[in-house]
Amino acid sequence: MQIETPPTDKPYDKAEGERRGIVIVNTGDGKGKSTAAFGLALRANGRGKTVKIYQFMKVPSARFGEHRMFEQIGIPIEGLGDGFSWKSQDLEHSAQLARDGWERARETILAGEHFLVVLDEITYPLIYGWLSLDGVLQTLRERPRHVHVCLTGRRCPPEIMELADTVTEMTLVKHAFKAGIPAQRGIED
């Protein structure tokens, strides 16, 4: 038996609030957190908006596919780390890089010159205790009203998710790596 839905005048209710910058979180154990944030960056850039991307776990010299493309279209993307923490030879150095990088990202957010600031993989330095959660929360609260911020990474602190306007949790259902298929150039990098 099929249930019919009544016809409506419009497909959805239109929001009546004011337009303002929002905080977006992409978290969870599934793939696609950074990719979704990069999609937002492309969309904003396509509308002529200024965008800045900070990657907390990538080295400044990283040349993955997204770096090559963003360079071609003029979206600045900056690696703030020294790679993945489990490969680090000096965790205090990694922590200092994250703190220095956060200061640059914080200044960018508060300056209000960018429509969208992406904080890719910021949850990891927060989880490791390298960054002050209170400091990140304060910056998100004090940002200029027109600035959008997108944060990515697993295990996002609940305090950030509570403050955020939009939270998406990516769920891992299946991954090719588990079947013995190595990372694919152009898919994972």
Side-chain angles (χ1 to χ4, degrees):
M1 177 176 182
Q2 186 176 7
I3 300 173
E4 290 189 33
T5 56
T8 59
D9 292 337
K10 48 188 173 177
Y12 58 90
D13 292 329
K14 186 175 180 180
E16 300 296 330
E18 72 172 305
R19 292 189 186 272
R20 63 172 178 79
I22 61 174
V23 174
I24 302 162
V25 171
N26 296 334
T27 193
D29 291 332
K31 298 286 289 173
K33 297 175 287 294
S34 297
T35 304
F38 298 157
L40 287 174
L42 290 170
R43 179 177 288 157
N45 180 264
R47 291 289 191 168
K49 308 292 187 182
T50 55
V51 177
K52 175 74 180 196
I53 301 170
Y54 291 99
Q55 291 187 295
F56 280 85
M57 301 304 287
K58 299 287 191 295
V59 297
S61 61
R63 297 286 294 147
F64 297 110
E66 62 266 25
H67 297 99
R68 295 163 192 256
M69 191 66 232
F70 288 140
E71 182 180 283
Q72 287 179 29
I73 62 175
I75 296 177
I77 182 169
E78 185 176 339
L80 301 173
D82 58 358
F84 296 98
S85 62
W86 59 87
K87 292 183 178 179
S88 178
Q89 301 300 312
D90 183 352
L91 287 178
E92 182 47 43
H93 175 70
S94 300
Q96 189 59 52
L97 287 173
R99 288 188 290 270
D100 293 345
W102 166 246
E103 193 53 40
R104 286 199 300 284
R106 181 183 161 284
E107 289 172 5
T108 298
I109 292 166
L110 295 177
E113 296 173 6
H114 292 79
F115 174 81
L116 172 65
V117 179
V118 174
L119 305 175
D120 187 42
E121 298 180 329
I122 191 172
T123 62
Y124 303 107
L126 284 167
I127 291 165
Y128 302 151
W130 297 347
L131 300 180
S132 161
L133 176 59
D134 288 339
V136 171
L137 289 167
Q138 180 179 353
T139 298
L140 293 174
R141 285 187 193 108
E142 293 177 357
R143 74 190 192 287
R145 286 192 54 79
H146 66 279
V147 175
H148 302 270
V149 179
C150 182
L151 303 89
T152 75
R154 296 172 190 244
R155 296 172 31 215
C156 185
E159 296 88 346
I160 290 178
M161 291 197 295
E162 177 65 29
L163 179 138
D165 300 288
T166 300
V167 177
T168 301
E169 184 171 353
M170 277 55 166
T171 303
L172 178 63
V173 175
K174 188 177 185 180
H175 196 292
F177 187 78
K178 298 278 187 186
I181 301 170
Q184 305 292 306
R185 178 144 292 168
I187 299 296
E188 276 85 17
D189 77 349

